[in-house]
Amino acid sequence: MNVLNLFNALPGAAAQGLIWGIMAIGVYITYRILDFADLTVDGSLCTGGAVCIMMMISGQNVFVSMLAATAAGMVTGLATGLFHTFMGIPPILSGILTQLSLYSVNLKIMGKANQSINVDKYGLLVSLRYIKGVPFYKNPIFVVAVSIVLLVVVLYWFFGTELGCSLRATGCNANMSRAQGINTNFSKVLALMISNGLVGLSGAFLSQYQGFSDVNMGRGAIVIGLAAVIIGEAVFGKVFHNFGFKLIGVALGSIIYYLVLQIVIWLGADPDYLKMFSALVVAFFLAIPEWKKRFFSGASVKKGGKSHA
């Protein structure tokens, strides 16, 4: 095992982690703020990538293409929101229905299962080839990091407004929110649109970075998003208390996730097991709060009881 190979691979893993970090912030909005288990992301990530690639191939500017990818992601969130609020379908099933539909939609957008784009012919904002040997302002790590900071600033401002607070209140207690005159159905739909808009933007970055959009590129995205959220909270939860910093922590959790995966690959693990490893990582971090309650809280109470006696 050559340590140099690992260090050479780390910048790419960090860049990819940052790109997926945008998606993880979207997952955080539904999973933590709205308390909505949204599986749409497995499809909306590809939708964003497909729209971005096809618009650039047709001659559109990269920024216009990425804006369209974000809008397309928001439409997928709207579909899930309407399934849930207007048709009364449970959250998980709403996401699954949208995700299933998007497979056909994404195929139709691209015309085939895979569409590639060449960095030499198109003005891509990020690319795997920009990891080394380019000015720092072209490096994907710098570009995506700046994008995340700008997104966090906008989200921090938005969730501090009256409308943003109504979204947070809906996630905390929908019944109480309705009693206060908040339209909880509208809040849910809007939060799903914002979340999947971010996922679509992440897909646009990812498709440019890897040089292609594939109909299966979003498969397992929800696991990566949850891993980033859980790792970010576990590692930075006691340090980052501010809402904006919590979002930063989620993005950093995504980087940690990809760095760990890179180390696992470097250690010689079979790549076929990476998805299973991802699921186990998420399961482990999700179990930590329950283990703390079960094995440590009881022990501390018992100890306190003895000392009191």
Side-chain angles (χ1 to χ4, degrees), residues 257-287:
Y257 171 81
Y258 267 94
L259 291 177
V260 170
L261 280 189
Q262 195 62 55
I263 293 171
V264 169
I265 293 171
W266 174 72
L267 290 172
D270 189 340
D272 292 342
Y273 291 116
L274 285 182
K275 293 289 185 184
M276 184 179 73
F277 175 77
S278 303
L280 291 175
V281 168
V282 175
F284 174 78
F285 279 99
L286 282 171

mmCIF file of all heavy atoms in Angstrom, residues 257-287:
data_model
loop_
_atom_site.group_PDB
_atom_site.id
_atom_site.type_symbol
_atom_site.label_atom_id
_atom_site.label_comp_id
_atom_site.label_asym_id
_atom_site.label_seq_id
_atom_site.Cartn_x
_atom_site.Cartn_y
_atom_site.Cartn_z
ATOM 1 N N TYR A 257 -17.005 11.627 5.227
ATOM 2 C CA TYR A 257 -17.537 10.373 4.680
ATOM 3 C C TYR A 257 -16.713 9.912 3.475
ATOM 4 O O TYR A 257 -16.301 8.753 3.385
ATOM 5 C CB TYR A 257 -18.999 10.569 4.295
ATOM 6 C CG TYR A 257 -19.609 9.429 3.520
ATOM 7 C CD1 TYR A 257 -20.079 8.292 4.167
ATOM 8 C CD2 TYR A 257 -19.716 9.486 2.136
ATOM 9 C CE1 TYR A 257 -20.637 7.241 3.464
ATOM 10 C CE2 TYR A 257 -20.274 8.443 1.422
ATOM 11 C CZ TYR A 257 -20.731 7.329 2.089
ATOM 12 O OH TYR A 257 -21.273 6.294 1.378
ATOM 13 N N TYR A 258 -16.447 10.836 2.547
ATOM 14 C CA TYR A 258 -15.705 10.461 1.343
ATOM 15 C C TYR A 258 -14.231 10.204 1.621
ATOM 16 O O TYR A 258 -13.603 9.361 0.955
ATOM 17 C CB TYR A 258 -15.886 11.526 0.246
ATOM 18 C CG TYR A 258 -17.031 11.179 -0.661
ATOM 19 C CD1 TYR A 258 -18.294 11.690 -0.431
ATOM 20 C CD2 TYR A 258 -16.876 10.289 -1.716
ATOM 21 C CE1 TYR A 258 -19.368 11.345 -1.233
ATOM 22 C CE2 TYR A 258 -17.935 9.939 -2.522
ATOM 23 C CZ TYR A 258 -19.170 10.467 -2.278
ATOM 24 O OH TYR A 258 -20.227 10.104 -3.063
ATOM 25 N N LEU A 259 -13.666 10.919 2.587
ATOM 26 C CA LEU A 259 -12.279 10.643 2.958
ATOM 27 C C LEU A 259 -12.149 9.251 3.582
ATOM 28 O O LEU A 259 -11.200 8.513 3.296
ATOM 29 C CB LEU A 259 -11.774 11.709 3.938
ATOM 30 C CG LEU A 259 -11.590 13.125 3.374
ATOM 31 C CD1 LEU A 259 -11.153 14.085 4.464
ATOM 32 C CD2 LEU A 259 -10.594 13.133 2.215
ATOM 33 N N VAL A 260 -13.130 8.882 4.413
ATOM 34 C CA VAL A 260 -13.127 7.542 5.017
ATOM 35 C C VAL A 260 -13.258 6.475 3.935
ATOM 36 O O VAL A 260 -12.554 5.457 3.949
ATOM 37 C CB VAL A 260 -14.263 7.406 6.053
ATOM 38 C CG1 VAL A 260 -14.427 5.953 6.500
ATOM 39 C CG2 VAL A 260 -13.987 8.287 7.265
ATOM 40 N N LEU A 261 -14.164 6.713 2.976
ATOM 41 C CA LEU A 261 -14.316 5.752 1.869
ATOM 42 C C LEU A 261 -13.017 5.595 1.085
ATOM 43 O O LEU A 261 -12.643 4.486 0.688
ATOM 44 C CB LEU A 261 -15.428 6.209 0.922
ATOM 45 C CG LEU A 261 -16.875 5.940 1.322
ATOM 46 C CD1 LEU A 261 -17.802 6.269 0.164
ATOM 47 C CD2 LEU A 261 -17.081 4.492 1.746
ATOM 48 N N GLN A 262 -12.331 6.736 0.871
ATOM 49 C CA GLN A 262 -11.069 6.692 0.132
ATOM 50 C C GLN A 262 -10.022 5.876 0.887
ATOM 51 O O GLN A 262 -9.272 5.100 0.292
ATOM 52 C CB GLN A 262 -10.556 8.117 -0.098
ATOM 53 C CG GLN A 262 -9.457 8.224 -1.137
ATOM 54 C CD GLN A 262 -9.908 7.775 -2.512
ATOM 55 O OE1 GLN A 262 -10.888 8.269 -3.038
ATOM 56 N NE2 GLN A 262 -9.200 6.820 -3.094
ATOM 57 N N ILE A 263 -9.997 6.035 2.197
ATOM 58 C CA ILE A 263 -9.054 5.266 3.017
ATOM 59 C C ILE A 263 -9.393 3.781 2.975
ATOM 60 O O ILE A 263 -8.507 2.922 2.890
ATOM 61 C CB ILE A 263 -9.056 5.794 4.473
ATOM 62 C CG1 ILE A 263 -8.468 7.206 4.513
ATOM 63 C CG2 ILE A 263 -8.269 4.867 5.393
ATOM 64 C CD1 ILE A 263 -8.628 7.903 5.848
ATOM 65 N N VAL A 264 -10.696 3.475 3.014
ATOM 66 C CA VAL A 264 -11.138 2.072 2.945
ATOM 67 C C VAL A 264 -10.707 1.439 1.621
ATOM 68 O O VAL A 264 -10.209 0.302 1.592
ATOM 69 C CB VAL A 264 -12.671 1.982 3.116
ATOM 70 C CG1 VAL A 264 -13.172 0.580 2.782
ATOM 71 C CG2 VAL A 264 -13.061 2.348 4.543
ATOM 72 N N ILE A 265 -10.871 2.182 0.529
ATOM 73 C CA ILE A 265 -10.441 1.674 -0.784
ATOM 74 C C ILE A 265 -8.926 1.488 -0.800
ATOM 75 O O ILE A 265 -8.410 0.491 -1.310
ATOM 76 C CB ILE A 265 -10.877 2.651 -1.900
ATOM 77 C CG1 ILE A 265 -12.411 2.672 -2.003
ATOM 78 C CG2 ILE A 265 -10.267 2.254 -3.241
ATOM 79 C CD1 ILE A 265 -12.941 3.747 -2.921
ATOM 80 N N TRP A 266 -8.201 2.460 -0.212
ATOM 81 C CA TRP A 266 -6.743 2.390 -0.169
ATOM 82 C C TRP A 266 -6.272 1.176 0.629
ATOM 83 O O TRP A 266 -5.252 0.568 0.309
ATOM 84 C CB TRP A 266 -6.201 3.679 0.439
ATOM 85 C CG TRP A 266 -4.729 3.682 0.680
ATOM 86 C CD1 TRP A 266 -3.739 3.757 -0.267
ATOM 87 C CD2 TRP A 266 -4.072 3.593 1.952
ATOM 88 N NE1 TRP A 266 -2.503 3.735 0.346
ATOM 89 C CE2 TRP A 266 -2.675 3.639 1.699
ATOM 90 C CE3 TRP A 266 -4.512 3.514 3.257
ATOM 91 C CZ2 TRP A 266 -1.736 3.579 2.723
ATOM 92 C CZ3 TRP A 266 -3.583 3.461 4.286
ATOM 93 C CH2 TRP A 266 -2.207 3.485 4.012
ATOM 94 N N LEU A 267 -7.021 0.821 1.655
ATOM 95 C CA LEU A 267 -6.663 -0.338 2.477
ATOM 96 C C LEU A 267 -6.925 -1.666 1.761
ATOM 97 O O LEU A 267 -6.578 -2.727 2.290
ATOM 98 C CB LEU A 267 -7.438 -0.308 3.802
ATOM 99 C CG LEU A 267 -7.022 0.794 4.789
ATOM 100 C CD1 LEU A 267 -7.980 0.838 5.968
ATOM 101 C CD2 LEU A 267 -5.589 0.571 5.268
ATOM 102 N N GLY A 268 -7.540 -1.595 0.594
ATOM 103 C CA GLY A 268 -7.731 -2.806 -0.198
ATOM 104 C C GLY A 268 -9.098 -3.447 -0.096
ATOM 105 O O GLY A 268 -9.274 -4.602 -0.496
ATOM 106 N N ALA A 269 -10.076 -2.705 0.447
ATOM 107 C CA ALA A 269 -11.423 -3.265 0.561
ATOM 108 C C ALA A 269 -12.035 -3.433 -0.832
ATOM 109 O O ALA A 269 -11.755 -2.667 -1.756
ATOM 110 C CB ALA A 269 -12.306 -2.351 1.403
ATOM 111 N N ASP A 270 -12.876 -4.445 -0.968
ATOM 112 C CA ASP A 270 -13.548 -4.711 -2.237
ATOM 113 C C ASP A 270 -14.554 -3.594 -2.517
ATOM 114 O O ASP A 270 -15.473 -3.363 -1.711
ATOM 115 C CB ASP A 270 -14.287 -6.056 -2.141
ATOM 116 C CG ASP A 270 -14.827 -6.509 -3.492
ATOM 117 O OD1 ASP A 270 -14.970 -5.659 -4.392
ATOM 118 O OD2 ASP A 270 -15.122 -7.718 -3.635
ATOM 119 N N PRO A 271 -14.411 -2.860 -3.641
ATOM 120 C CA PRO A 271 -15.335 -1.756 -3.951
ATOM 121 C C PRO A 271 -16.789 -2.199 -4.041
ATOM 122 O O PRO A 271 -17.697 -1.383 -3.864
ATOM 123 C CB PRO A 271 -14.839 -1.242 -5.318
ATOM 124 C CG PRO A 271 -13.416 -1.680 -5.393
ATOM 125 C CD PRO A 271 -13.348 -2.975 -4.647
ATOM 126 N N ASP A 272 -17.022 -3.494 -4.300
ATOM 127 C CA ASP A 272 -18.394 -3.988 -4.385
ATOM 128 C C ASP A 272 -19.130 -3.859 -3.059
ATOM 129 O O ASP A 272 -20.360 -3.876 -3.012
ATOM 130 C CB ASP A 272 -18.408 -5.457 -4.826
ATOM 131 C CG ASP A 272 -17.945 -5.623 -6.270
ATOM 132 O OD1 ASP A 272 -17.961 -4.617 -7.001
ATOM 133 O OD2 ASP A 272 -17.579 -6.746 -6.646
ATOM 134 N N TYR A 273 -18.378 -3.742 -1.963
ATOM 135 C CA TYR A 273 -18.993 -3.674 -0.636
ATOM 136 C C TYR A 273 -19.177 -2.247 -0.128
ATOM 137 O O TYR A 273 -19.606 -2.045 1.009
ATOM 138 C CB TYR A 273 -18.141 -4.451 0.383
ATOM 139 C CG TYR A 273 -18.148 -5.941 0.179
ATOM 140 C CD1 TYR A 273 -16.977 -6.615 -0.151
ATOM 141 C CD2 TYR A 273 -19.317 -6.675 0.317
ATOM 142 C CE1 TYR A 273 -16.973 -7.988 -0.352
ATOM 143 C CE2 TYR A 273 -19.329 -8.046 0.126
ATOM 144 C CZ TYR A 273 -18.160 -8.698 -0.204
ATOM 145 O OH TYR A 273 -18.168 -10.049 -0.399
ATOM 146 N N LEU A 274 -18.854 -1.235 -0.966
ATOM 147 C CA LEU A 274 -18.890 0.151 -0.496
ATOM 148 C C LEU A 274 -20.301 0.603 -0.103
ATOM 149 O O LEU A 274 -20.482 1.320 0.870
ATOM 150 C CB LEU A 274 -18.319 1.084 -1.567
ATOM 151 C CG LEU A 274 -16.793 1.066 -1.713
ATOM 152 C CD1 LEU A 274 -16.346 2.062 -2.765
ATOM 153 C CD2 LEU A 274 -16.113 1.348 -0.384
ATOM 154 N N LYS A 275 -21.305 0.189 -0.869
ATOM 155 C CA LYS A 275 -22.683 0.569 -0.545
ATOM 156 C C LYS A 275 -23.089 -0.020 0.802
ATOM 157 O O LYS A 275 -23.738 0.647 1.617
ATOM 158 C CB LYS A 275 -23.638 0.087 -1.642
ATOM 159 C CG LYS A 275 -23.473 0.781 -2.984
ATOM 160 C CD LYS A 275 -23.964 2.211 -2.927
ATOM 161 C CE LYS A 275 -23.889 2.845 -4.320
ATOM 162 N NZ LYS A 275 -24.268 4.277 -4.283
ATOM 163 N N MET A 276 -22.716 -1.271 1.025
ATOM 164 C CA MET A 276 -23.029 -1.909 2.298
ATOM 165 C C MET A 276 -22.298 -1.204 3.435
ATOM 166 O O MET A 276 -22.871 -0.969 4.506
ATOM 167 C CB MET A 276 -22.641 -3.390 2.261
ATOM 168 C CG MET A 276 -23.017 -4.154 3.526
ATOM 169 S SD MET A 276 -22.567 -5.897 3.450
ATOM 170 C CE MET A 276 -20.773 -5.781 3.614
ATOM 171 N N PHE A 277 -21.042 -0.832 3.182
ATOM 172 C CA PHE A 277 -20.272 -0.114 4.192
ATOM 173 C C PHE A 277 -20.934 1.219 4.520
ATOM 174 O O PHE A 277 -21.016 1.616 5.692
ATOM 175 C CB PHE A 277 -18.843 0.103 3.683
ATOM 176 C CG PHE A 277 -17.994 0.932 4.602
ATOM 177 C CD1 PHE A 277 -17.464 0.387 5.758
ATOM 178 C CD2 PHE A 277 -17.737 2.264 4.309
ATOM 179 C CE1 PHE A 277 -16.694 1.164 6.617
ATOM 180 C CE2 PHE A 277 -16.968 3.044 5.150
ATOM 181 C CZ PHE A 277 -16.441 2.483 6.309
ATOM 182 N N SER A 278 -21.438 1.910 3.486
ATOM 183 C CA SER A 278 -22.113 3.185 3.689
ATOM 184 C C SER A 278 -23.330 3.012 4.590
ATOM 185 O O SER A 278 -23.556 3.798 5.519
ATOM 186 C CB SER A 278 -22.562 3.777 2.348
ATOM 187 O OG SER A 278 -21.462 3.921 1.481
ATOM 188 N N ALA A 279 -24.118 1.981 4.315
ATOM 189 C CA ALA A 279 -25.313 1.725 5.115
ATOM 190 C C ALA A 279 -24.949 1.416 6.566
ATOM 191 O O ALA A 279 -25.622 1.875 7.504
ATOM 192 C CB ALA A 279 -26.107 0.570 4.511
ATOM 193 N N LEU A 280 -23.878 0.657 6.762
ATOM 194 C CA LEU A 280 -23.457 0.309 8.122
ATOM 195 C C LEU A 280 -22.952 1.535 8.885
ATOM 196 O O LEU A 280 -23.182 1.651 10.093
ATOM 197 C CB LEU A 280 -22.365 -0.769 8.067
ATOM 198 C CG LEU A 280 -22.818 -2.154 7.597
ATOM 199 C CD1 LEU A 280 -21.625 -3.098 7.463
ATOM 200 C CD2 LEU A 280 -23.858 -2.740 8.545
ATOM 201 N N VAL A 281 -22.270 2.440 8.174
ATOM 202 C CA VAL A 281 -21.797 3.679 8.810
ATOM 203 C C VAL A 281 -22.985 4.504 9.299
ATOM 204 O O VAL A 281 -23.015 4.996 10.431
ATOM 205 C CB VAL A 281 -20.933 4.506 7.826
ATOM 206 C CG1 VAL A 281 -20.702 5.913 8.369
ATOM 207 C CG2 VAL A 281 -19.607 3.816 7.594
ATOM 208 N N VAL A 282 -24.005 4.638 8.430
ATOM 209 C CA VAL A 282 -25.206 5.387 8.803
ATOM 210 C C VAL A 282 -25.896 4.724 9.995
ATOM 211 O O VAL A 282 -26.292 5.388 10.957
ATOM 212 C CB VAL A 282 -26.182 5.490 7.611
ATOM 213 C CG1 VAL A 282 -27.474 6.167 8.045
ATOM 214 C CG2 VAL A 282 -25.548 6.266 6.472
ATOM 215 N N ALA A 283 -26.037 3.390 9.925
ATOM 216 C CA ALA A 283 -26.691 2.652 11.016
ATOM 217 C C ALA A 283 -25.940 2.851 12.333
ATOM 218 O O ALA A 283 -26.554 3.051 13.390
ATOM 219 C CB ALA A 283 -26.768 1.168 10.663
ATOM 220 N N PHE A 284 -24.620 2.830 12.276
ATOM 221 C CA PHE A 284 -23.796 2.992 13.478
ATOM 222 C C PHE A 284 -24.022 4.355 14.126
ATOM 223 O O PHE A 284 -24.267 4.460 15.331
ATOM 224 C CB PHE A 284 -22.322 2.801 13.127
ATOM 225 C CG PHE A 284 -21.388 3.084 14.270
ATOM 226 C CD1 PHE A 284 -21.197 2.155 15.284
ATOM 227 C CD2 PHE A 284 -20.701 4.288 14.339
ATOM 228 C CE1 PHE A 284 -20.345 2.425 16.348
ATOM 229 C CE2 PHE A 284 -19.840 4.566 15.390
ATOM 230 C CZ PHE A 284 -19.661 3.621 16.385
ATOM 231 N N PHE A 285 -23.951 5.420 13.303
ATOM 232 C CA PHE A 285 -24.099 6.766 13.855
ATOM 233 C C PHE A 285 -25.533 7.040 14.308
ATOM 234 O O PHE A 285 -25.752 7.783 15.264
ATOM 235 C CB PHE A 285 -23.645 7.819 12.836
ATOM 236 C CG PHE A 285 -22.153 8.002 12.794
ATOM 237 C CD1 PHE A 285 -21.393 7.376 11.817
ATOM 238 C CD2 PHE A 285 -21.505 8.767 13.733
ATOM 239 C CE1 PHE A 285 -20.009 7.523 11.780
ATOM 240 C CE2 PHE A 285 -20.127 8.932 13.712
ATOM 241 C CZ PHE A 285 -19.376 8.309 12.737
ATOM 242 N N LEU A 286 -26.518 6.427 13.627
ATOM 243 C CA LEU A 286 -27.903 6.581 14.060
ATOM 244 C C LEU A 286 -28.148 5.890 15.398
ATOM 245 O O LEU A 286 -29.007 6.305 16.184
ATOM 246 C CB LEU A 286 -28.862 6.003 13.007
ATOM 247 C CG LEU A 286 -29.130 6.862 11.768
ATOM 248 C CD1 LEU A 286 -29.903 6.071 10.739
ATOM 249 C CD2 LEU A 286 -29.891 8.124 12.127
ATOM 250 N N ALA A 287 -27.388 4.824 15.649
ATOM 251 C CA ALA A 287 -27.581 4.046 16.877
ATOM 252 C C ALA A 287 -26.920 4.686 18.091
ATOM 253 O O ALA A 287 -27.286 4.365 19.229
ATOM 254 C CB ALA A 287 -27.029 2.636 16.688
#
